[in-house]
Amino acid sequence: MSEHKRQSPLPDLTPRQLQILKLLQAGKPNKELSEELGIGVGTVKQHLVALFKKLNVRNRAMAVSLAADIQQQSAAPTMSLKREVLLDRRPCVVLSMSLPHDATIQNVRLMHGRLGAFAAAHDAIFLARSGNAGDVIFGIQHTSEYVVAVALHTARTVLHDLMLEDVGIAAQLRGCLTAGHAFASMHQFGGWTGEALASTTISSARTLLDTISPGQFLIDEAARDLTALFGIEGLPNDVEGIPFFDLDKFRWSANRLGYELIDRVAEMSALRASLNASAHQLGNIFHIEGEMGMGKSRLCEEVYRLCQDSVGVASFYRCLPAALNEPCWSVTKEEYCDVDEIDARLRNQPVEHPDLVIVDDIHLLPAEQQTKLIRAVEIALKQGKLVVLAGRKIMHIPDTSAAQIITLRRMSPQSLQGLVRKVIGKAVVKDRTNKVLSICSAAAGVPLFAIELARHHQEESHLPLSLQFAINARLDGLHLDRWLLREVARQAAGISIEDIRQKMGEEATEVKRKVNNSIAAGVLSCSADEWISFTHPLLRLAINDTITD
């Protein structure tokens, strides 16, 4: 389509054509269009031909690219495209894989099909390309702190599927994993619009893939660093390529970087007392709750160590995200396990006391499995066991024993200083004292933030990639107005609701509604005089890192 026609007024569309265009924008195939509109598939095709002709486009993709403009004209003529679409700088991970040039079309289709299926299942973007290659970009639609683990699991699964078809071709499979950023057009409330995607990370992955020998897999330094957010054991220390088959040696243990437990004196005192009570066959249950990065897992590790030191019986389990197809990891046995094993451990008669059972990240389990374990806890308490359940939010089931709840709060900057010094270690740091104080101030009481800022203390211009993934993982799930968050993020000292209203050009009631949603989500706060700011300084920095204009 010519630039002249692109900028010219759009033709009038019938209500049915507008309806079809909106369904196309939602990605509906012809069959679903037929079902939703109550017409035959043949009639749908006729409507599409008429629609494409009126828009002067050749296919669905070109029609969808005009959908935002059509919606502007039909529903909100005064609203500009900029109000609906943002160009964001997003953290991403790119998995690139290729087969040799002599691979059969069936094998190439198998690889592309599996990569496409994983992309669809994990809100990723799949790009098939010539040369029997393909890329999956994770983190654009929705990001997660588990993104590297999911990408590696994807590569491993594709390898296994190819082995079932042709072992010889599977042995020549090449792959690499890179991490970085992408510029992507995003909807106002999250999700990729499909209009723009550009990234040096994608081109770097493709360039890197061409240098890898058949049968090899390479993980770049940035992707390796992200494993600190989700423990992946078995990763070699160097950055050289590894045999593709060695991906089977990786273990998703969720064993994060560990540092000395700080400050949690009252919490440890309560857990220690209950451990001593279990030695006398008096059962108890604790729920350790808090946002990501507050130290729940570290607290679990410490009480686990105490039980082992007291020659008690201790079992420690970590729940894993469903995307990895492995329900749980047994820290004690260093192997995968299922919920039935944890259930049996809770119900079995103790052989000696104290008897401790820890289930960390229980919020990752489906609701029915959480319920199953909480029911089993009732039996464990009668047997004198100490049970510790940790998670961001733990289910509370009626008619079960009340748990002692430990809600981990933010620590003071002073309490984090020792942790930051330990992470920085003996590295040469200019003005070390001020650097430590600056990191503790920016972390604002969150141990994980302090650790990641300290690990990347030489990075000045942006947040560490690991924290961008962690913070965006939280924000992506809230579906808040990103234009609103951008306006607040531009003002270091906060902004009034009236100023937000003027900058966004919306009614005061609508701005207040969006602000209230962000406050309820724990992202923004409002002072008595209606001054709006972020609840944590790194939330503001993360939003600022996405702004490209």
Side-chain angles (χ1 to χ4, degrees):
M1 183 184 301
S2 70
E3 187 65 19
H4 171 73
K5 288 187 176 290
R6 175 75 182 187
Q7 292 178 350
S8 64
L10 292 167
D12 291 332
L13 299 181
T14 67
R16 176 65 89 187
Q17 288 171 337
L18 281 171
Q19 190 178 16
I20 290 175
L21 190 53
K22 289 178 181 179
L23 292 174
L24 288 181
Q25 190 180 26
K28 302 287 186 180
N30 286 356
K31 185 178 180 180
E32 291 187 30
L33 289 176
S34 171
E35 294 172 352
E36 294 202 22
L37 298 175
I39 58 179
V41 174
T43 306
V44 167
K45 292 180 179 178
Q46 293 176 8
H47 279 302
L48 289 177
V49 170
L51 176 63
F52 295 166
K53 183 176 180 180
K54 187 173 284 189
L55 293 176
N56 192 29
V57 299
R58 295 188 299 274
N59 53 45
R60 302 164 79 97
M62 294 175 70
V64 167
S65 72
L66 292 174
D69 295 331
I70 295 291
Q71 290 171 343
Q72 284 180 304
Q73 194 172 51
S74 62
T78 60
M79 181 179 290
S80 68
L81 180 61
K82 187 178 179 182
R83 297 293 299 121
E84 295 181 355
V85 179
L86 306 84
L87 185 62
D88 271 6
R89 179 177 179 267
R90 298 276 299 178
C92 68
V93 165
V94 179
L95 171 65
S96 286
M97 300 176 68
S98 69
L99 287 171
H101 291 291
D102 60 351
T104 66
I105 189 152
Q106 290 82 4
N107 286 332
V108 176
R109 284 175 177 172
L110 173 61
M111 182 186 75
H112 282 169
R114 295 300 289 151
L115 289 175
F118 266 93
H122 301 295
D123 288 330
I125 299 167
F126 169 60
L127 301 176
R129 43 190 187 91
S130 60
N132 297 343
D135 310 308
V136 181
I137 301 97
F138 297 87
I140 305 300
Q141 294 275 19
H142 186 282
T143 194
S144 162
E145 60 264 38
Y146 313 120
V147 65
V148 170
V150 172
L152 288 172
H153 177 64
T154 300
R156 185 174 69 171
T157 303
V158 172
L159 172 66
H160 286 176
D161 288 350
L162 281 169
M163 288 176 62
L164 294 175
E165 293 294 320
D166 190 330
V167 175
I169 287 295
Q172 298 181 65
L173 184 65
R174 296 182 298 169
C176 66
L177 195 67
T178 60
H181 296 89
F183 294 97
S185 56
M186 305 295 292
H187 289 293
Q188 188 171 350
F189 292 89
W192 184 47
T193 68
E195 293 172 300
L197 178 64
S199 173
T200 57
T201 306
I202 299 174
S203 60
S204 295
R206 293 176 174 182
T207 301
L208 187 61
L209 187 65
D210 291 338
T211 68
I212 300 172
S213 302
Q216 295 289 300
F217 192 90
L218 194 147
I219 307 172
D220 79 350
E221 188 174 355
R224 286 168 176 273
D225 184 70
L226 291 175
T227 62
L229 276 183
F230 188 84
I232 302 174
E233 297 184 351
L235 205 62
N237 292 326
D238 56 44
V239 296
E240 297 298 323
I242 60 175
F244 216 125
F245 289 100
D246 279 359
L247 290 182
D248 281 337
K249 297 179 181 179
F250 293 171
R251 293 293 180 266
W252 331 111
S253 68
N255 184 27
R256 290 91 168 178
L257 285 175
Y259 293 95
E260 180 181 348
L261 181 69
I262 59 172
D263 197 25
R264 307 297 189 187
V265 177
E267 292 86 349
M268 277 307 304
S269 178
L271 290 166
R272 187 180 290 106
S274 290
L275 193 61
N276 292 335
S278 176
H280 298 87
Q281 302 184 32
L282 298 175
N284 207 344
I285 177 173
F286 280 84
H287 288 180
I288 303 178
E289 299 181 345
E291 288 296 323
M292 182 190 68
M294 296 304 295
K296 301 181 296 296
S297 296
R298 188 65 191 85
L299 203 57
C300 290
E301 292 167 359
E302 190 65 15
V303 69
Y304 179 63
R305 183 190 62 80
L306 284 176
C307 186
Q308 290 179 314
D309 289 348
S310 63
V311 199
V313 177
S315 296
F316 190 172
Y317 305 95
R318 285 196 171 104
C319 304
L320 304 175
L324 299 182
N325 290 336
E326 300 287 356
C328 306
W329 173 263
S330 171
V331 177
T332 307
K333 298 180 180 179
E334 296 188 344
E335 63 185 24
Y336 295 121
C337 66
D338 56 26
V339 172
D340 288 340
E341 178 178 324
I342 305 176
D343 180 74
R345 174 67 177 85
L346 288 166
R347 296 173 183 273
N348 290 346
Q349 190 67 35
V351 294
E352 59 182 290
H353 289 84
D355 194 323
L356 170 68
V357 181
I358 300 173
V359 184
D360 193 11
D361 285 335
I362 191 172
H363 65 277
L364 293 175
L365 293 178
E368 63 273 15
Q369 293 186 347
Q370 293 186 49
T371 300
K372 179 178 183 177
L373 294 183
I374 292 173
R375 294 292 185 191
V377 168
E378 294 297 296
I379 298 174
L381 296 181
K382 295 176 182 178
Q383 297 171 345
K385 296 176 183 176
L386 170 59
V387 180
V388 177
L389 307 179
R392 296 181 190 177
K393 189 65 177 178
I394 301 174
M395 294 177 58
H396 297 273
I397 301 176
D399 304 323
T400 58
S401 300
Q404 293 191 48
I405 298 177
I406 295 177
T407 302
L408 297 185
R409 307 295 183 186
R410 294 185 190 179
M411 301 177 181
S412 67
Q414 293 76 16
S415 65
L416 290 180
Q417 290 179 20
L419 175 62
V420 171
R421 292 192 188 97
K422 186 175 290 292
V423 176
I424 292 178
K426 297 181 179 180
V428 177
V429 180
K430 182 179 179 180
D431 199 358
R432 176 182 288 264
T433 299
N434 283 334
K435 173 63 73 173
V436 170
L437 293 176
S438 174
I439 289 174
C440 291
S441 176
V446 180
L448 174 66
F449 291 175
I451 290 171
E452 290 302 301
L453 289 172
R455 284 206 311 125
H456 301 273
H457 63 270
Q458 294 178 334
E459 298 179 18
E460 300 287 351
S461 57
H462 295 285
L463 281 179
L465 187 62
S466 56
L467 287 185
Q468 292 179 34
F469 270 101
I471 294 173
N472 274 283
R474 177 186 176 190
L475 292 175
D476 285 351
L478 298 176
H479 305 293
L480 302 175
D481 188 331
R482 288 301 185 102
W483 282 112
L484 168 67
L485 299 183
R486 281 185 171 206
E487 295 301 341
V488 179
R490 294 179 197 273
Q491 309 299 321
I495 186 173
S496 69
I497 289 182
E498 175 57 24
D499 285 343
I500 296 174
R501 187 196 68 77
Q502 291 182 9
K503 291 178 179 295
M504 295 185 66
E506 297 184 359
E507 295 294 332
T509 54
E510 179 66 7
V511 171
K512 285 185 178 181
R513 183 186 68 81
K514 293 178 177 180
V515 168
N516 287 337
N517 287 343
S518 299
I519 291 173
V523 174
L524 296 181
S525 63
C526 182
S527 63
D529 57 352
E530 296 192 331
W531 200 252
I532 309 301
S533 59
F534 283 91
T535 57
H536 195 285
L538 292 196
L539 291 176
R540 174 180 171 269
L541 291 179
I543 292 294
N544 271 332
D545 274 349
T546 70
I547 297 175
T548 59
D549 54 15

